[in-house]
């Protein structure tokens, strides 16, 4: 009788029994999903998976705590009352062990287990400080370090994350309040969880569901909802395998372009950043250029917010690496806008790089000659502390001089007064020295020709 009692109360036996029970339940649910196509059991399936993960944590706990050793309360999960293996921070700022708080959330709770406060979002952030403190405490007491959830069962975590994401995507077809709440959670998930970014690349339905609340030309879209969804597109575009699927989605590109015009300051910045990131894939450059993105990107250079200007400048530069886009950018006023901002000392280095890129096109050369950018370029060569900026400036001077010998007098005056090109020919980067020497050689020939004439 005594032995039977011990077996009955043995924790490992109880865990094994509960595990078998959950596995049998999971088999039934999977059968219903596959054979009967009963998708109403999807949430229940994820709940069981989460419960199994928690039990597996308990089963994998190979270290033993001495009865006299007391675990500090701050190292215990408020739910399991056990030493935490993967501490994460909930939106309320309280720390829980990941598998147990995940199970709480999967079961449909939208509040903090301790404070009962309604959660503004359900994203879990790793608590690296507490993790380090637990590791140090375990080492000091000769206890085997607890394994994190990734060590135990990454597939279960991925299933839970993706199940949670799918529930959020479904909410995007609901009321505005549900849409806003879900969009904010998806935005945070896409930023912090790599597996979520990967999932969007694998699923054919995820991106259309994400964009469902946004309609091209709809001026009534809630600005917060627009910002969260556009920012999610930015987060997704960072993942290399997503660039093609997002770039080739006409709705995604259209909405990004519209957001450059109609969004909040943050939305404009993130939309420009998304277009820049997507354009890193060469096949996307022309797609984005043909979408009408260049004009609003150029217009954003007039914004007051420096981050918006910087994101737009980066996108313009990347897109103009495609020859067809150079012509479009020039026709949309890129040259005059860039020169204007450079004269205002706004992002001179970045914009000068784009101007140098555009100078390979004759239309840009003609326009720069018309508005006379030479004094600006000379000033940069004289005063800039950035060697790359000096290099780009002398490269443009060389191009303009080769195209229009009327620039001869301006260069002679600059050399006579400041000898800036001569100095650059001795002290600049290798490319800057070559361009400066080429200008000086043409200058010498020009002087000779003018003299004999």
């Amino acid at each position: 009788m005594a032995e039977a009692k011990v077996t009955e109360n043995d924790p490992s036996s109880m865990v094994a029994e509960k595990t078998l029970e959950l596995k049998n339940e999971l088999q039934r649910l999977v059968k219903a999903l596959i054979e009967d196509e009963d998708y109403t059991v999807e949430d229940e399936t994820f709940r069981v998976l989460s419960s199994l993960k928690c039990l597996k944590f308990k089963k994998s706990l190979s270290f033993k705590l001495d009865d006299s050793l007391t675990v500090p309360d701050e190292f215990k999960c408020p739910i399991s009352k056990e030493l935490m293996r993967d501490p994460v921070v909930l939106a309320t700022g309280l720390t829980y062990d990941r598998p147990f708080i995940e199970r709480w959330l999967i079961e449909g709770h939208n509040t903090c287990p301790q404070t009962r406060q309604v959660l503004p979002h359900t994203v879990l952030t790793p608590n690296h400080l507490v993790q380090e403190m637990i590791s140090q405490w375990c080492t000091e007491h000769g206890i085997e370090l607890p394994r994190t959830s990734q060590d135990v069962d990454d597939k279960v975590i991925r299933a839970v994350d993706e199940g949670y994401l799918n529930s959020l995507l479904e909410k995007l077809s609901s009321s505005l309040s549900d849409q806003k709440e879900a969009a904010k959670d998806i935005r945070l998930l896409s930023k912090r969880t790599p597996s979520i970014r990967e999932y969007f690349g694998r699923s054919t339905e995820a991106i259309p569901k994400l964009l469902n609340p946004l309609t091209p030309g709809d001026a009534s879209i809630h600005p917060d909802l627009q910002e969260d969804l556009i920012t999610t597109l930015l987060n997704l575009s960072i993942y290399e395998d997503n660039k093609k699927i997002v770039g080739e989605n006409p709705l995604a590109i259209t909405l990004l372009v519209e957001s450059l015009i109609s969004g909040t300051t943050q939305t404009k910045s993130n939309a420009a950043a998304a277009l820049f990131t997507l354009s890193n894939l060469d096949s996307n450059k022309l797609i984005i250029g043909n979408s009408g993105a260049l004009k609003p990107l150029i217009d954003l250079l007039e914004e007051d917010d420096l981050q918006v200007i910087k994101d737009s400048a980066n996108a313009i530069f990347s897109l103009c690496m495609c020859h067809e886009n150079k012509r479009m950018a020039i026709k949309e006023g890129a040259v005059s806008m860039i020169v204007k901002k450079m004269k205002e000392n706004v992002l001179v280095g970045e914009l000068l790089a784009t101007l140098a890129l555009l100078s390979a096109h004759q239309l840009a050369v003609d326009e720069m000659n018309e508005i006379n950018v030479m004094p600006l370029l000379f000033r940069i060569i004289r005063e800039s502390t950035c060697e790359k900026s000096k290099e780009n400036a002398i490269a443009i001077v060389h191009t303009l001089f080769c195209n229009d010998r009327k620039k001869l007098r301006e260069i002679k005056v600059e050399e006579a007064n400041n000898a800036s090109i001569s100095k650059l020919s001795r002290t600049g980067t290798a490319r800057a020295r070559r361009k400066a020497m080429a200008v000086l050689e043409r200058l010498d020939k020009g002087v000779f020709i003018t003299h004999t004439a």
Side-chain angles (χ1 to χ4, degrees):
M1 290 295 292
E3 289 184 2
K5 187 174 183 179
V6 170
T7 303
E8 181 181 351
N9 294 322
D10 180 21
S12 61
S13 176
M14 294 172 64
V15 169
E17 183 179 345
K18 183 63 177 177
T19 299
L20 180 60
E21 178 185 333
L22 286 171
K23 285 183 177 180
N24 289 335
E25 185 179 357
L26 183 61
Q27 286 180 336
R28 179 184 63 78
L29 292 168
V30 170
K31 182 178 180 181
L33 276 169
I34 296 175
E35 296 182 4
D36 302 333
E37 296 189 356
D38 182 5
Y39 299 108
T40 62
V41 300
E42 184 177 356
D43 290 341
E44 184 69 9
T45 304
F46 287 118
R47 183 193 64 76
V48 174
L49 279 170
S50 182
S51 298
L52 274 171
K53 183 173 72 170
C54 291
L55 285 174
K56 193 164 186 177
F57 262 72
K58 292 180 179 180
K59 187 177 179 181
S60 67
L61 189 59
S62 58
F63 59 88
K64 300 292 184 181
L65 295 176
D66 189 276
D67 291 340
S68 63
L69 187 60
T70 302
V71 178
D73 289 340
E74 59 268 28
F75 296 166
K76 295 179 181 179
C77 173
I79 299 176
S80 68
K81 307 302 181 184
E82 297 176 359
L83 184 64
M84 289 187 285
R85 302 153 177 80
D86 191 1
V88 292
V89 181
L90 198 58
T92 53
L94 297 177
T95 298
Y96 296 88
D97 204 359
R98 182 185 291 275
F100 297 98
I101 191 61
E102 278 183 347
R103 182 172 65 178
W104 170 269
L105 296 173
I106 288 297
E107 288 174 350
H109 300 287
N110 65 344
T111 58
C112 175
Q114 285 183 281
T115 66
R116 300 300 172 182
Q117 177 183 344
V118 176
L119 300 173
H121 63 79
T122 54
V123 175
L124 304 175
T125 306
N127 192 329
H128 297 297
L129 177 60
V130 171
Q131 180 73 68
E132 180 61 29
M133 292 171 65
I134 291 174
S135 297
Q136 185 176 348
W137 182 83
C138 288
T139 301
E140 290 174 352
H141 292 84
I143 299 170
E144 183 181 342
L145 297 178
R147 293 184 293 173
T148 64
S149 55
Q150 283 75 16
D151 295 327
V152 175
D153 199 343
D154 186 62
K155 289 183 179 179
V156 172
I157 294 174
R158 186 182 294 270
V160 170
D161 286 343
E162 293 177 4
Y164 176 49
L165 173 64
N166 280 320
S167 69
L168 292 176
L169 290 172
E170 292 300 325
K171 288 177 68 175
L172 291 177
S173 299
S174 188
S175 65
L176 176 60
S177 60
D178 283 345
Q179 289 178 342
K180 290 170 62 180
E181 180 184 352
K184 188 170 293 296
D185 283 355
I186 294 172
R187 170 182 176 172
L188 293 170
L189 276 173
S190 66
K191 177 182 180 181
R192 299 173 179 174
T193 312
S195 64
I196 292 299
R197 295 194 290 273
E198 294 172 11
Y199 178 74
F200 273 92
R202 299 195 312 270
S203 171
T204 57
E205 297 181 353
I207 291 180
K209 286 183 177 180
L210 175 72
L211 302 177
N212 182 63
L214 302 179
T215 302
D218 183 5
S220 65
I221 183 69
H222 193 283
D224 292 344
L225 178 60
Q226 181 187 28
E227 180 179 319
D228 285 331
L229 295 178
I230 292 301
T231 303
T232 299
L233 281 180
L234 167 60
N235 295 338
L236 298 180
S237 68
I238 294 171
Y239 182 60
E240 196 65 31
D241 289 351
N242 286 342
K243 295 187 191 300
K244 185 176 178 65
I245 189 172
V246 176
E248 294 181 356
N249 186 307
L251 181 57
I253 299 300
T254 298
L255 293 171
L256 285 172
V257 173
E258 288 191 356
S259 296
L260 298 173
I261 303 169
S262 63
T264 63
T265 297
Q266 189 63 57
T267 300
K268 291 176 181 178
S269 180
N270 291 344
L275 291 172
F276 164 67
T277 305
L278 291 170
S279 68
N280 289 335
L281 186 67
D282 286 341
S283 61
N284 283 341
K285 285 183 171 65
L286 194 55
I287 293 174
I288 297 171
N290 288 332
S291 71
L294 283 163
K295 180 62 167 67
L297 283 170
I298 294 167
D299 290 343
L300 284 181
L301 297 180
E302 283 277 53
E303 289 280 318
D304 295 328
D305 188 275
L306 185 61
Q307 189 60 51
V308 174
I309 299 174
K310 187 175 293 187
D311 289 327
S312 301
N314 288 338
I316 294 168
F317 178 84
S318 181
L319 290 170
C320 287
M321 294 180 74
C322 170
H323 183 73
E324 292 88 342
N325 287 339
K326 289 178 185 176
R327 182 182 182 86
M328 283 189 276
I330 296 164
K331 288 193 168 185
E332 295 293 357
V335 172
S336 59
M337 178 65 77
I338 288 172
V339 171
K340 176 179 182 294
K341 301 308 291 185
M342 287 171 58
K343 287 181 178 178
E344 297 172 359
N345 290 319
V346 176
L347 294 181
V348 174
E350 292 89 335
L351 294 175
L352 183 58
T354 303
L355 194 63
L357 193 62
L358 293 175
S359 68
H361 200 290
Q362 186 61 42
L363 285 176
V365 172
D366 293 342
E367 188 171 348
M368 282 189 278
N369 280 328
E370 286 179 14
I371 61 179
N372 192 19
V373 299
M374 294 293 270
L376 174 62
L377 298 172
F378 290 148
R379 176 168 65 83
I380 293 170
I381 293 171
R382 288 194 308 268
E383 301 175 3
S384 177
T385 57
C386 175
E387 293 301 320
K388 188 64 178 178
S389 291
K390 292 181 179 181
E391 177 185 314
N392 283 326
I394 191 61
I396 299 173
V397 168
H398 179 263
T399 299
L400 296 179
F401 188 23
C402 291
N403 186 264
D404 184 2
R405 286 185 61 245
K406 293 178 183 178
K407 302 298 178 186
L408 174 65
R409 178 173 175 77
E410 292 180 73
I411 297 175
K412 285 173 62 178
V413 171
E414 174 65 22
E415 272 298 285
N417 292 336
N418 303 296
S420 56
I421 299 177
S422 296
K423 292 176 184 176
L424 190 61
S425 70
R426 298 189 301 272
T427 63
T429 64
R431 180 168 177 259
R433 294 197 302 272
R434 288 197 306 272
K435 293 295 183 180
M437 287 299 299
V439 170
L440 292 173
E441 289 173 5
R442 284 182 172 272
L443 184 62
D444 289 340
K445 292 178 182 179
V447 171
F448 177 76
I449 293 170
T450 303
H451 176 72
T452 56

